[in-house]
């Protein structure tokens, strides 16, 4: 077993770690994100804190069964200006509905990373980005969802901004790694300090 594990099935997050030259293994955490999110929302937690809690739950669950291994959990949440949170779409129809809600407006994206060892968190960071989606026609939404459903179904916001999703936006504020799904700069700094990345 490698010294570093990513508790995620996200191809985008794995690609970020690979591109950074890190040696790691990826394993799913199998956390019930929907139930945990609902519980946290009911308790009045913010979208930012929910992203952090989901990342922590993944990291802790996997690290508890891998003694001595550093496990990175990550998660992202999306909130509209009115505080409404959007989850990953469950169908192409729901993806189209989400895109209609975001079109022509600003939303917030929070991406959290938590490192855990032996079932306890040892480090955390949350990145924040603001994104302004351009107005979208019904025809564009229908064609976009039909063409990209297999990849956008795994993302909050129904876009992969590193790919065709860049077509959806007028403006973004925030580092690109946070938008893709993980606050890479603080994560890399911590990994270097922990001896898990080249210094």
């Amino acid at each position: 077993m490698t010294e570093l594990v990513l508790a995620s099935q996200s191809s985008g997050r794995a690609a970020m770690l690979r591109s950074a030259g890190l040696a790691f293994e990826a394993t799913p955490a199998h956390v019930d994100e929907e139930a945990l999110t609902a519980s946290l929302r009911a308790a009045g937690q913010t979208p930012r804190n929910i992203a952090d809690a989901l990342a922590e739950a993944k990291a802790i669950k996997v690290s508890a069964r891998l003694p001595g291994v550093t496990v990175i959990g990550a998660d992202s949440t999306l909130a509209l200006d009115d505080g409404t949170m959007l989850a990953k779409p469950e169908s192409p129809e729901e993806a189209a509905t989400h895109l209609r809600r975001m079109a022509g407006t600003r939303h917030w994206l929070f991406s959290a990373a938590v490192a855990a060892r032996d079932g306890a968190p040892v480090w955390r960071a949350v990145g924040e980005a603001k994104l302004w989606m351009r107005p979208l026609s019904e025809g564009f939404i229908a064609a976009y969802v039909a063409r990209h459903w297999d990849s956008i179904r795994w993302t909050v916001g129904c876009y992969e901004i590193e790919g065709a999703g860049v077509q959806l936006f007028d403006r973004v504020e925030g580092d690109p790694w946070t938008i893709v799904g993980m606050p890479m700069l603080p994560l890399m700094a911590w990994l270097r300090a922990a001896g898990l990345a080249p210094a």
Side-chain angles (χ1 to χ4, degrees), residues 28-100:
H30 299 301
V31 168
D32 188 340
E33 297 179 40
E34 189 173 327
L36 181 53
T37 298
S39 173
L40 292 164
R41 288 289 280 176
Q45 290 295 322
T46 64
R48 183 187 189 281
N49 289 346
I50 291 171
D52 180 64
L54 289 168
E56 180 180 281
K58 293 176 181 179
I60 287 174
K61 185 170 183 181
V62 173
S63 71
R65 63 177 190 257
L66 298 174
V69 174
T70 299
V71 177
I72 305 298
D75 211 293
S76 299
T77 58
L78 185 153
L80 306 180
D81 263 350
D82 65 4
T84 301
M85 284 181 62
L86 298 184
K88 296 171 187 172
E90 295 186 2
S91 66
E93 293 74 24
E94 188 172 33
T97 297
H98 288 185
L99 290 169
R100 284 187 205 102

Side-chain angles (χ1 to χ4, degrees), residues 98-114:
H98 288 185
L99 290 169
R100 284 187 205 102
R101 291 195 71 179
M102 292 183 289
T105 69
R106 177 183 65 176
H107 65 267
W108 298 78
L109 190 65
F110 303 95
S111 288
V114 174

Side-chain angles (χ1 to χ4, degrees), residues 70-161:
T70 299
V71 177
I72 305 298
D75 211 293
S76 299
T77 58
L78 185 153
L80 306 180
D81 263 350
D82 65 4
T84 301
M85 284 181 62
L86 298 184
K88 296 171 187 172
E90 295 186 2
S91 66
E93 293 74 24
E94 188 172 33
T97 297
H98 288 185
L99 290 169
R100 284 187 205 102
R101 291 195 71 179
M102 292 183 289
T105 69
R106 177 183 65 176
H107 65 267
W108 298 78
L109 190 65
F110 303 95
S111 288
V114 174
R117 288 196 195 110
D118 302 317
V122 295
W123 174 88
R124 66 194 337 118
V126 182
E128 178 180 309
K130 290 185 283 186
L131 301 93
W132 285 259
M133 193 172 282
R134 68 180 180 86
L136 304 173
S137 69
E138 281 297 317
F140 179 90
I141 290 171
Y144 178 82
V145 171
R147 178 173 293 175
H148 302 290
W149 169 245
D150 284 342
S151 57
I152 65 172
R153 67 188 302 176
W154 308 110
T155 65
V156 294
C158 310
Y159 53 83
E160 289 184 309
I161 201 167

